[in-house]
Amino acid sequence: MKFALRTALILPLALVVAAAARADDKSMEMPYYPLKVGNTWTYAVGGNKVVVKVTKFEDVDKQPCARLEASVGNAAAGDALVELIAVKADGVYRFKAADKLVGPPVRFLALPPKKGEEWQIEAKVGTEKLKVTFKTGEMEELQVGGTTYKNVVTVTGDDLDANGMKMTVVYYFAKDVGMIKQVVKIAGQDVVLELEKFEPGK
């Protein structure tokens, strides 16, 4: 359960350019998940706050990645969960999740987003197995945290299997903001993550 919930919280999370930025660039610019050093998203989930921040860029097997650090509630310094995200021509990939390497890297958003597109994933997060079929959808608008977002892109995995634990996950991405909402259905419960505030880096 601990692995599944951590994965659900930051599977984010996340996303459109023709090629990835260099590791020493200050941003990876794309409409649906702007990755710039300093960009910060504050989410509400249950009674907790989750703060996700792009802290720097680094390479994984020569692939430039943005490092996102997520802290939950009043977590002590050094307790942040880390994910590494890379942008390629065909999509956005997660190279690391919940502080664990992902192999092969998981594409969690196809680029450019096309309604009805599906792709299958089989990977490992550390030693844990992950299997899912993602499908892209769209919504004309969605209200989250008092803000109405237009032309929202959705990515749904109805059959996500995290090391034998079954769940459903739906991501919602808004242009120039990133992930605005995530719903995970697991063990008969819904875990809902909603954006409260997005602060662009300077």
PDB file of all heavy atoms in Angstrom, residues 14-20 28-33 35 85-93 107-114 117 119 136 153 155 173:
ATOM      1  N   ALA A  14       2.627  15.162 -14.843  1.00  0.00           N
ATOM      2  CA  ALA A  14       3.045  15.636 -15.467  1.00  0.00           C
ATOM      3  C   ALA A  14       2.976  15.630 -16.316  1.00  0.00           C
ATOM      4  O   ALA A  14       2.784  15.427 -16.819  1.00  0.00           O
ATOM      5  CB  ALA A  14       2.795  16.225 -14.900  1.00  0.00           C
ATOM      6  N   LEU A  15       2.753  16.105 -20.640  1.00  0.00           N
ATOM      7  CA  LEU A  15       3.415  17.090 -20.324  1.00  0.00           C
ATOM      8  C   LEU A  15       4.016  17.079 -21.634  1.00  0.00           C
ATOM      9  O   LEU A  15       3.842  15.954 -21.993  1.00  0.00           O
ATOM     10  CB  LEU A  15       4.234  16.905 -19.258  1.00  0.00           C
ATOM     11  CG  LEU A  15       3.658  16.596 -17.997  1.00  0.00           C
ATOM     12  CD1 LEU A  15       3.555  15.561 -17.146  1.00  0.00           C
ATOM     13  CD2 LEU A  15       4.308  17.464 -17.464  1.00  0.00           C
ATOM     14  N   VAL A  16       4.948  20.886 -24.361  1.00  0.00           N
ATOM     15  CA  VAL A  16       5.074  19.870 -25.418  1.00  0.00           C
ATOM     16  C   VAL A  16       6.129  20.514 -26.303  1.00  0.00           C
ATOM     17  O   VAL A  16       5.919  21.633 -26.731  1.00  0.00           O
ATOM     18  CB  VAL A  16       3.718  19.747 -26.114  1.00  0.00           C
ATOM     19  CG1 VAL A  16       3.790  18.815 -27.303  1.00  0.00           C
ATOM     20  CG2 VAL A  16       2.662  19.323 -25.120  1.00  0.00           C
ATOM     21  N   VAL A  17       7.232  19.807 -26.447  1.00  0.00           N
ATOM     22  CA  VAL A  17       8.258  20.328 -27.316  1.00  0.00           C
ATOM     23  C   VAL A  17       8.753  19.227 -28.224  1.00  0.00           C
ATOM     24  O   VAL A  17       8.570  18.060 -27.940  1.00  0.00           O
ATOM     25  CB  VAL A  17       9.450  20.902 -26.516  1.00  0.00           C
ATOM     26  CG1 VAL A  17       9.048  22.110 -25.728  1.00  0.00           C
ATOM     27  CG2 VAL A  17      10.055  19.850 -25.596  1.00  0.00           C
ATOM     28  N   ALA A  18       9.423  19.581 -29.335  1.00  0.00           N
ATOM     29  CA  ALA A  18       9.877  18.573 -30.283  1.00  0.00           C
ATOM     30  C   ALA A  18      11.092  17.825 -29.781  1.00  0.00           C
ATOM     31  O   ALA A  18      11.359  16.712 -30.206  1.00  0.00           O
ATOM     32  CB  ALA A  18      10.197  19.228 -31.623  1.00  0.00           C
ATOM     33  N   ALA A  19      11.874  18.439 -28.892  1.00  0.00           N
ATOM     34  CA  ALA A  19      13.059  17.775 -28.371  1.00  0.00           C
ATOM     35  C   ALA A  19      13.298  18.236 -26.950  1.00  0.00           C
ATOM     36  O   ALA A  19      12.885  19.321 -26.549  1.00  0.00           O
ATOM     37  CB  ALA A  19      14.275  18.114 -29.228  1.00  0.00           C
ATOM     38  N   ALA A  20      13.982  17.418 -26.161  1.00  0.00           N
ATOM     39  CA  ALA A  20      14.243  17.759 -24.767  1.00  0.00           C
ATOM     40  C   ALA A  20      15.274  18.872 -24.676  1.00  0.00           C
ATOM     41  O   ALA A  20      16.143  19.024 -25.522  1.00  0.00           O
ATOM     42  CB  ALA A  20      14.762  16.526 -24.027  1.00  0.00           C
ATOM     43  N   MET A  28      12.296  23.364 -19.273  1.00  0.00           N
ATOM     44  CA  MET A  28      11.797  22.529 -20.356  1.00  0.00           C
ATOM     45  C   MET A  28      10.393  23.048 -20.620  1.00  0.00           C
ATOM     46  O   MET A  28       9.483  22.777 -19.845  1.00  0.00           O
ATOM     47  CB  MET A  28      11.777  21.050 -19.950  1.00  0.00           C
ATOM     48  CG  MET A  28      13.137  20.429 -19.743  1.00  0.00           C
ATOM     49  SD  MET A  28      12.981  18.676 -19.307  1.00  0.00           S
ATOM     50  CE  MET A  28      14.703  18.246 -19.057  1.00  0.00           C
ATOM     51  N   GLU A  29      10.236  23.825 -21.656  1.00  0.00           N
ATOM     52  CA  GLU A  29       8.965  24.494 -21.881  1.00  0.00           C
ATOM     53  C   GLU A  29       8.034  23.632 -22.724  1.00  0.00           C
ATOM     54  O   GLU A  29       8.384  23.186 -23.807  1.00  0.00           O
ATOM     55  CB  GLU A  29       9.198  25.841 -22.569  1.00  0.00           C
ATOM     56  CG  GLU A  29      10.012  26.829 -21.748  1.00  0.00           C
ATOM     57  CD  GLU A  29       9.335  27.243 -20.463  1.00  0.00           C
ATOM     58  OE1 GLU A  29       8.101  27.074 -20.350  1.00  0.00           O
ATOM     59  OE2 GLU A  29      10.020  27.731 -19.567  1.00  0.00           O
ATOM     60  N   MET A  30       6.827  23.372 -22.200  1.00  0.00           N
ATOM     61  CA  MET A  30       5.782  22.701 -22.934  1.00  0.00           C
ATOM     62  C   MET A  30       4.459  23.103 -22.300  1.00  0.00           C
ATOM     63  O   MET A  30       4.402  23.397 -21.117  1.00  0.00           O
ATOM     64  CB  MET A  30       5.970  21.174 -22.932  1.00  0.00           C
ATOM     65  CG  MET A  30       5.594  20.503 -21.648  1.00  0.00           C
ATOM     66  SD  MET A  30       6.737  20.837 -20.317  1.00  0.00           S
ATOM     67  CE  MET A  30       8.167  20.012 -20.992  1.00  0.00           C
ATOM     68  N   PRO A  31       3.382  23.163 -23.091  1.00  0.00           N
ATOM     69  CA  PRO A  31       2.127  23.693 -22.556  1.00  0.00           C
ATOM     70  C   PRO A  31       1.559  22.958 -21.348  1.00  0.00           C
ATOM     71  O   PRO A  31       1.065  23.586 -20.431  1.00  0.00           O
ATOM     72  CB  PRO A  31       1.173  23.601 -23.755  1.00  0.00           C
ATOM     73  CG  PRO A  31       2.055  23.679 -24.946  1.00  0.00           C
ATOM     74  CD  PRO A  31       3.308  22.929 -24.546  1.00  0.00           C
ATOM     75  N   TYR A  32       1.606  21.619 -21.347  1.00  0.00           N
ATOM     76  CA  TYR A  32       0.826  20.897 -20.349  1.00  0.00           C
ATOM     77  C   TYR A  32       1.581  20.487 -19.098  1.00  0.00           C
ATOM     78  O   TYR A  32       1.010  19.842 -18.222  1.00  0.00           O
ATOM     79  CB  TYR A  32       0.165  19.678 -21.007  1.00  0.00           C
ATOM     80  CG  TYR A  32      -0.910  20.105 -21.985  1.00  0.00           C
ATOM     81  CD1 TYR A  32      -0.655  20.148 -23.349  1.00  0.00           C
ATOM     82  CD2 TYR A  32      -2.155  20.525 -21.530  1.00  0.00           C
ATOM     83  CE1 TYR A  32      -1.624  20.571 -24.244  1.00  0.00           C
ATOM     84  CE2 TYR A  32      -3.129  20.953 -22.406  1.00  0.00           C
ATOM     85  CZ  TYR A  32      -2.860  20.975 -23.768  1.00  0.00           C
ATOM     86  OH  TYR A  32      -3.817  21.412 -24.640  1.00  0.00           O
ATOM     87  N   TYR A  33       2.854  20.839 -19.005  1.00  0.00           N
ATOM     88  CA  TYR A  33       3.601  20.597 -17.767  1.00  0.00           C
ATOM     89  C   TYR A  33       4.853  21.458 -17.829  1.00  0.00           C
ATOM     90  O   TYR A  33       5.934  20.967 -18.142  1.00  0.00           O
ATOM     91  CB  TYR A  33       3.970  19.129 -17.613  1.00  0.00           C
ATOM     92  CG  TYR A  33       4.169  18.688 -16.174  1.00  0.00           C
ATOM     93  CD1 TYR A  33       3.884  17.398 -15.783  1.00  0.00           C
ATOM     94  CD2 TYR A  33       4.667  19.566 -15.208  1.00  0.00           C
ATOM     95  CE1 TYR A  33       4.071  16.981 -14.471  1.00  0.00           C
ATOM     96  CE2 TYR A  33       4.854  19.159 -13.894  1.00  0.00           C
ATOM     97  CZ  TYR A  33       4.557  17.863 -13.532  1.00  0.00           C
ATOM     98  OH  TYR A  33       4.745  17.451 -12.237  1.00  0.00           O
ATOM     99  N   LEU A  35       8.116  22.890 -17.072  1.00  0.00           N
ATOM    100  CA  LEU A  35       9.198  22.472 -16.183  1.00  0.00           C
ATOM    101  C   LEU A  35      10.305  23.513 -16.206  1.00  0.00           C
ATOM    102  O   LEU A  35      11.181  23.506 -17.066  1.00  0.00           O
ATOM    103  CB  LEU A  35       9.740  21.100 -16.618  1.00  0.00           C
ATOM    104  CG  LEU A  35       8.736  19.957 -16.519  1.00  0.00           C
ATOM    105  CD1 LEU A  35       9.326  18.676 -17.094  1.00  0.00           C
ATOM    106  CD2 LEU A  35       8.295  19.742 -15.083  1.00  0.00           C
ATOM    107  N   ILE A  85      11.783  13.769 -14.563  1.00  0.00           N
ATOM    108  CA  ILE A  85      10.913  13.814 -15.732  1.00  0.00           C
ATOM    109  C   ILE A  85      11.698  14.287 -16.953  1.00  0.00           C
ATOM    110  O   ILE A  85      12.442  15.269 -16.880  1.00  0.00           O
ATOM    111  CB  ILE A  85       9.739  14.784 -15.499  1.00  0.00           C
ATOM    112  CG1 ILE A  85       8.947  14.399 -14.244  1.00  0.00           C
ATOM    113  CG2 ILE A  85       8.828  14.835 -16.720  1.00  0.00           C
ATOM    114  CD1 ILE A  85       8.304  13.046 -14.318  1.00  0.00           C
ATOM    115  N   ALA A  86      11.521  13.596 -18.082  1.00  0.00           N
ATOM    116  CA  ALA A  86      12.177  13.991 -19.328  1.00  0.00           C
ATOM    117  C   ALA A  86      11.138  14.188 -20.421  1.00  0.00           C
ATOM    118  O   ALA A  86      10.138  13.463 -20.482  1.00  0.00           O
ATOM    119  CB  ALA A  86      13.185  12.940 -19.767  1.00  0.00           C
ATOM    120  N   VAL A  87      11.390  15.158 -21.286  1.00  0.00           N
ATOM    121  CA  VAL A  87      10.507  15.424 -22.418  1.00  0.00           C
ATOM    122  C   VAL A  87      11.181  14.935 -23.692  1.00  0.00           C
ATOM    123  O   VAL A  87      12.301  15.325 -24.005  1.00  0.00           O
ATOM    124  CB  VAL A  87      10.205  16.931 -22.544  1.00  0.00           C
ATOM    125  CG1 VAL A  87       9.247  17.175 -23.707  1.00  0.00           C
ATOM    126  CG2 VAL A  87       9.618  17.467 -21.254  1.00  0.00           C
ATOM    127  N   LYS A  88      10.478  14.072 -24.421  1.00  0.00           N
ATOM    128  CA  LYS A  88      10.957  13.598 -25.715  1.00  0.00           C
ATOM    129  C   LYS A  88       9.954  13.996 -26.789  1.00  0.00           C
ATOM    130  O   LYS A  88       8.881  14.527 -26.485  1.00  0.00           O
ATOM    131  CB  LYS A  88      11.144  12.083 -25.685  1.00  0.00           C
ATOM    132  CG  LYS A  88      12.204  11.608 -24.702  1.00  0.00           C
ATOM    133  CD  LYS A  88      12.426  10.108 -24.845  1.00  0.00           C
ATOM    134  CE  LYS A  88      13.532   9.625 -23.928  1.00  0.00           C
ATOM    135  NZ  LYS A  88      13.799   8.166 -24.128  1.00  0.00           N
ATOM    136  N   ALA A  89      10.297  13.716 -28.040  1.00  0.00           N
ATOM    137  CA  ALA A  89       9.439  14.123 -29.147  1.00  0.00           C
ATOM    138  C   ALA A  89       8.056  13.480 -29.076  1.00  0.00           C
ATOM    139  O   ALA A  89       7.058  14.093 -29.473  1.00  0.00           O
ATOM    140  CB  ALA A  89      10.102  13.795 -30.480  1.00  0.00           C
ATOM    141  N   ASP A  90       7.972  12.239 -28.551  1.00  0.00           N
ATOM    142  CA  ASP A  90       6.697  11.526 -28.554  1.00  0.00           C
ATOM    143  C   ASP A  90       5.984  11.550 -27.211  1.00  0.00           C
ATOM    144  O   ASP A  90       4.919  10.953 -27.066  1.00  0.00           O
ATOM    145  CB  ASP A  90       6.897  10.082 -28.998  1.00  0.00           C
ATOM    146  CG  ASP A  90       7.740   9.276 -28.016  1.00  0.00           C
ATOM    147  OD1 ASP A  90       8.496   9.901 -27.231  1.00  0.00           O
ATOM    148  OD2 ASP A  90       7.647   8.036 -28.034  1.00  0.00           O
ATOM    149  N   GLY A  91       6.556  12.212 -26.212  1.00  0.00           N
ATOM    150  CA  GLY A  91       5.858  12.252 -24.942  1.00  0.00           C
ATOM    151  C   GLY A  91       6.722  12.648 -23.768  1.00  0.00           C
ATOM    152  O   GLY A  91       7.912  12.949 -23.914  1.00  0.00           O
ATOM    153  N   VAL A  92       6.119  12.637 -22.608  1.00  0.00           N
ATOM    154  CA  VAL A  92       6.802  12.976 -21.365  1.00  0.00           C
ATOM    155  C   VAL A  92       7.006  11.686 -20.585  1.00  0.00           C
ATOM    156  O   VAL A  92       6.079  10.881 -20.423  1.00  0.00           O
ATOM    157  CB  VAL A  92       5.985  13.990 -20.549  1.00  0.00           C
ATOM    158  CG1 VAL A  92       6.743  14.387 -19.286  1.00  0.00           C
ATOM    159  CG2 VAL A  92       5.693  15.224 -21.381  1.00  0.00           C
ATOM    160  N   TYR A  93       8.228  11.486 -20.093  1.00  0.00           N
ATOM    161  CA  TYR A  93       8.623  10.226 -19.488  1.00  0.00           C
ATOM    162  C   TYR A  93       9.068  10.421 -18.044  1.00  0.00           C
ATOM    163  O   TYR A  93       9.737  11.393 -17.713  1.00  0.00           O
ATOM    164  CB  TYR A  93       9.786   9.602 -20.259  1.00  0.00           C
ATOM    165  CG  TYR A  93       9.402   9.037 -21.603  1.00  0.00           C
ATOM    166  CD1 TYR A  93       9.166   9.876 -22.699  1.00  0.00           C
ATOM    167  CD2 TYR A  93       9.293   7.664 -21.786  1.00  0.00           C
ATOM    168  CE1 TYR A  93       8.829   9.356 -23.938  1.00  0.00           C
ATOM    169  CE2 TYR A  93       8.955   7.133 -23.028  1.00  0.00           C
ATOM    170  CZ  TYR A  93       8.722   7.982 -24.097  1.00  0.00           C
ATOM    171  OH  TYR A  93       8.389   7.460 -25.329  1.00  0.00           O
ATOM    172  N   ARG A 107       6.229   6.494 -20.162  1.00  0.00           N
ATOM    173  CA  ARG A 107       5.605   7.635 -20.837  1.00  0.00           C
ATOM    174  C   ARG A 107       4.206   7.813 -20.253  1.00  0.00           C
ATOM    175  O   ARG A 107       3.344   6.961 -20.407  1.00  0.00           O
ATOM    176  CB  ARG A 107       5.524   7.401 -22.349  1.00  0.00           C
ATOM    177  CG  ARG A 107       4.901   8.580 -23.100  1.00  0.00           C
ATOM    178  CD  ARG A 107       4.982   8.415 -24.598  1.00  0.00           C
ATOM    179  NE  ARG A 107       4.115   7.344 -25.074  1.00  0.00           N
ATOM    180  CZ  ARG A 107       3.597   7.314 -26.319  1.00  0.00           C
ATOM    181  NH1 ARG A 107       3.862   8.284 -27.187  1.00  0.00           N
ATOM    182  NH2 ARG A 107       2.847   6.305 -26.685  1.00  0.00           N
ATOM    183  N   PHE A 108       3.972   8.918 -19.564  1.00  0.00           N
ATOM    184  CA  PHE A 108       2.664   9.128 -18.942  1.00  0.00           C
ATOM    185  C   PHE A 108       1.840  10.211 -19.620  1.00  0.00           C
ATOM    186  O   PHE A 108       0.707  10.459 -19.231  1.00  0.00           O
ATOM    187  CB  PHE A 108       2.797   9.415 -17.442  1.00  0.00           C
ATOM    188  CG  PHE A 108       3.580  10.645 -17.097  1.00  0.00           C
ATOM    189  CD1 PHE A 108       2.938  11.836 -16.816  1.00  0.00           C
ATOM    190  CD2 PHE A 108       4.961  10.612 -17.038  1.00  0.00           C
ATOM    191  CE1 PHE A 108       3.660  12.969 -16.485  1.00  0.00           C
ATOM    192  CE2 PHE A 108       5.685  11.733 -16.698  1.00  0.00           C
ATOM    193  CZ  PHE A 108       5.038  12.922 -16.429  1.00  0.00           C
ATOM    194  N   LEU A 109       2.396  10.838 -20.658  1.00  0.00           N
ATOM    195  CA  LEU A 109       1.624  11.748 -21.492  1.00  0.00           C
ATOM    196  C   LEU A 109       2.180  11.679 -22.905  1.00  0.00           C
ATOM    197  O   LEU A 109       3.378  11.878 -23.109  1.00  0.00           O
ATOM    198  CB  LEU A 109       1.694  13.189 -20.977  1.00  0.00           C
ATOM    199  CG  LEU A 109       0.918  14.213 -21.800  1.00  0.00           C
ATOM    200  CD1 LEU A 109      -0.576  13.953 -21.737  1.00  0.00           C
ATOM    201  CD2 LEU A 109       1.216  15.634 -21.342  1.00  0.00           C
ATOM    202  N   ALA A 110       1.315  11.337 -23.865  1.00  0.00           N
ATOM    203  CA  ALA A 110       1.735  11.269 -25.259  1.00  0.00           C
ATOM    204  C   ALA A 110       1.715  12.660 -25.863  1.00  0.00           C
ATOM    205  O   ALA A 110       0.847  13.469 -25.563  1.00  0.00           O
ATOM    206  CB  ALA A 110       0.814  10.335 -26.044  1.00  0.00           C
ATOM    207  N   LEU A 111       2.695  12.955 -26.718  1.00  0.00           N
ATOM    208  CA  LEU A 111       2.797  14.246 -27.374  1.00  0.00           C
ATOM    209  C   LEU A 111       2.806  14.073 -28.891  1.00  0.00           C
ATOM    210  O   LEU A 111       3.473  13.190 -29.402  1.00  0.00           O
ATOM    211  CB  LEU A 111       4.080  14.958 -26.935  1.00  0.00           C
ATOM    212  CG  LEU A 111       4.217  15.270 -25.444  1.00  0.00           C
ATOM    213  CD1 LEU A 111       5.546  15.957 -25.179  1.00  0.00           C
ATOM    214  CD2 LEU A 111       3.066  16.131 -24.954  1.00  0.00           C
ATOM    215  N   PRO A 112       2.078  14.949 -29.593  1.00  0.00           N
ATOM    216  CA  PRO A 112       1.084  15.874 -29.041  1.00  0.00           C
ATOM    217  C   PRO A 112      -0.135  15.093 -28.551  1.00  0.00           C
ATOM    218  O   PRO A 112      -0.425  14.022 -29.085  1.00  0.00           O
ATOM    219  CB  PRO A 112       0.734  16.765 -30.238  1.00  0.00           C
ATOM    220  CG  PRO A 112       0.960  15.882 -31.428  1.00  0.00           C
ATOM    221  CD  PRO A 112       2.145  15.023 -31.067  1.00  0.00           C
ATOM    222  N   PRO A 113      -0.857  15.605 -27.543  1.00  0.00           N
ATOM    223  CA  PRO A 113      -2.013  14.874 -27.025  1.00  0.00           C
ATOM    224  C   PRO A 113      -3.087  14.695 -28.097  1.00  0.00           C
ATOM    225  O   PRO A 113      -3.451  15.647 -28.785  1.00  0.00           O
ATOM    226  CB  PRO A 113      -2.536  15.784 -25.896  1.00  0.00           C
ATOM    227  CG  PRO A 113      -1.373  16.645 -25.531  1.00  0.00           C
ATOM    228  CD  PRO A 113      -0.634  16.866 -26.818  1.00  0.00           C
ATOM    229  N   LYS A 114      -3.554  13.457 -28.270  1.00  0.00           N
ATOM    230  CA  LYS A 114      -4.602  13.156 -29.242  1.00  0.00           C
ATOM    231  C   LYS A 114      -5.692  12.340 -28.554  1.00  0.00           C
ATOM    232  O   LYS A 114      -5.403  11.275 -27.998  1.00  0.00           O
ATOM    233  CB  LYS A 114      -4.028  12.371 -30.417  1.00  0.00           C
ATOM    234  CG  LYS A 114      -2.991  13.126 -31.236  1.00  0.00           C
ATOM    235  CD  LYS A 114      -2.436  12.249 -32.351  1.00  0.00           C
ATOM    236  CE  LYS A 114      -1.361  12.982 -33.142  1.00  0.00           C
ATOM    237  NZ  LYS A 114      -0.769  12.111 -34.197  1.00  0.00           N
ATOM    238  N   GLU A 117      -5.986   8.222 -28.078  1.00  0.00           N
ATOM    239  CA  GLU A 117      -4.731   7.491 -28.237  1.00  0.00           C
ATOM    240  C   GLU A 117      -4.454   6.619 -27.018  1.00  0.00           C
ATOM    241  O   GLU A 117      -4.608   7.057 -25.884  1.00  0.00           O
ATOM    242  CB  GLU A 117      -3.575   8.461 -28.456  1.00  0.00           C
ATOM    243  CG  GLU A 117      -2.247   7.767 -28.701  1.00  0.00           C
ATOM    244  CD  GLU A 117      -1.126   8.707 -29.077  1.00  0.00           C
ATOM    245  OE1 GLU A 117      -1.375   9.934 -29.156  1.00  0.00           O
ATOM    246  OE2 GLU A 117      -0.001   8.221 -29.291  1.00  0.00           O
ATOM    247  N   TRP A 119      -1.671   3.623 -25.175  1.00  0.00           N
ATOM    248  CA  TRP A 119      -0.359   2.978 -25.187  1.00  0.00           C
ATOM    249  C   TRP A 119      -0.198   2.156 -23.914  1.00  0.00           C
ATOM    250  O   TRP A 119      -0.745   2.485 -22.867  1.00  0.00           O
ATOM    251  CB  TRP A 119       0.763   3.997 -25.344  1.00  0.00           C
ATOM    252  CG  TRP A 119       0.926   4.987 -24.223  1.00  0.00           C
ATOM    253  CD1 TRP A 119       1.831   4.942 -23.195  1.00  0.00           C
ATOM    254  CD2 TRP A 119       0.166   6.186 -24.002  1.00  0.00           C
ATOM    255  NE1 TRP A 119       1.691   6.021 -22.370  1.00  0.00           N
ATOM    256  CE2 TRP A 119       0.668   6.806 -22.846  1.00  0.00           C
ATOM    257  CE3 TRP A 119      -0.896   6.798 -24.689  1.00  0.00           C
ATOM    258  CZ2 TRP A 119       0.148   7.997 -22.349  1.00  0.00           C
ATOM    259  CZ3 TRP A 119      -1.430   7.985 -24.193  1.00  0.00           C
ATOM    260  CH2 TRP A 119      -0.895   8.568 -23.036  1.00  0.00           C
ATOM    261  N   THR A 136      -5.571   8.797 -23.732  1.00  0.00           N
ATOM    262  CA  THR A 136      -5.716  10.255 -23.710  1.00  0.00           C
ATOM    263  C   THR A 136      -7.156  10.657 -23.993  1.00  0.00           C
ATOM    264  O   THR A 136      -7.817  10.092 -24.871  1.00  0.00           O
ATOM    265  CB  THR A 136      -4.804  10.905 -24.771  1.00  0.00           C
ATOM    266  OG1 THR A 136      -3.459  10.555 -24.507  1.00  0.00           O
ATOM    267  CG2 THR A 136      -4.934  12.424 -24.741  1.00  0.00           C
ATOM    268  N   VAL A 153      -6.599  18.310 -20.830  1.00  0.00           N
ATOM    269  CA  VAL A 153      -6.203  17.002 -21.353  1.00  0.00           C
ATOM    270  C   VAL A 153      -6.230  15.990 -20.209  1.00  0.00           C
ATOM    271  O   VAL A 153      -5.715  16.264 -19.117  1.00  0.00           O
ATOM    272  CB  VAL A 153      -4.787  17.057 -21.966  1.00  0.00           C
ATOM    273  CG1 VAL A 153      -4.290  15.647 -22.304  1.00  0.00           C
ATOM    274  CG2 VAL A 153      -4.781  17.932 -23.207  1.00  0.00           C
ATOM    275  N   VAL A 155      -5.480  11.882 -18.935  1.00  0.00           N
ATOM    276  CA  VAL A 155      -4.808  10.608 -19.192  1.00  0.00           C
ATOM    277  C   VAL A 155      -5.347   9.619 -18.169  1.00  0.00           C
ATOM    278  O   VAL A 155      -5.245   9.851 -16.955  1.00  0.00           O
ATOM    279  CB  VAL A 155      -3.278  10.726 -19.071  1.00  0.00           C
ATOM    280  CG1 VAL A 155      -2.632   9.353 -19.265  1.00  0.00           C
ATOM    281  CG2 VAL A 155      -2.725  11.715 -20.081  1.00  0.00           C
ATOM    282  N   PHE A 173      -4.562  17.662 -17.034  1.00  0.00           N
ATOM    283  CA  PHE A 173      -3.526  18.646 -17.324  1.00  0.00           C
ATOM    284  C   PHE A 173      -4.129  19.885 -17.974  1.00  0.00           C
ATOM    285  O   PHE A 173      -4.957  19.777 -18.886  1.00  0.00           O
ATOM    286  CB  PHE A 173      -2.475  18.060 -18.273  1.00  0.00           C
ATOM    287  CG  PHE A 173      -1.751  16.866 -17.718  1.00  0.00           C
ATOM    288  CD1 PHE A 173      -2.127  15.578 -18.082  1.00  0.00           C
ATOM    289  CD2 PHE A 173      -0.695  17.019 -16.839  1.00  0.00           C
ATOM    290  CE1 PHE A 173      -1.464  14.468 -17.581  1.00  0.00           C
ATOM    291  CE2 PHE A 173      -0.016  15.924 -16.325  1.00  0.00           C
ATOM    292  CZ  PHE A 173      -0.403  14.644 -16.696  1.00  0.00           C
TER     293      PHE A 173
END
